[in-house]
Amino acid sequence: MTPIQWDAWMGLPAERRQRAVTIRDAKLVGFVQTHMQSIWQLDLNTGCHTFDTVQFPLLSAMQFVDTSADTTEFPAQEISWPEMCHADPAWIPLVVDQTLGRSKQPRKLLPPGQ
């Protein structure tokens, strides 16, 4: 993220950050869901946990939300993340930077409630 993007992201309310990172594209949701189900099935068969919360915090926190009551489009699902992922504006950029090995600008999470 550039400094301008960082400032803009930090200034957004939590609800807007949540909407910004929610995936609603039906083809993309279907693609991700199909591949994640294959990986989860492999986990069940092998007893190995592919997506642990430390190595893959965004993947492990991913939620497939049924929105069929809200829309007539198919598939009626979206991908979102729990409140902890967008309540602190520094959380997602920090996790992405750490995952990609970019720690040039160390960022700190805000204390809970800020």
Side-chain angles (χ1 to χ4, degrees), residues 9 12-22 24 83 86-87:
W9 178 257
L12 291 175
E15 182 181 306
R16 295 264 324 266
R17 287 191 303 272
Q18 179 184 17
R19 285 195 314 253
V21 298
T22 298
R24 293 179 184 86
E83 184 180 348
H86 52 81

Side-chain angles (χ1 to χ4, degrees), residues 72-83:
T72 57
E73 296 178 28
F74 295 98
Q77 286 197 325
E78 61 188 27
I79 298 172
S80 64
W81 284 264
E83 184 180 348

Side-chain angles (χ1 to χ4, degrees), residues 29-40:
V29 170
F31 176 83
V32 171
Q33 185 175 28
T34 298
H35 286 62
M36 291 298 290
Q37 286 175 337
S38 298
I39 293 168
W40 291 326

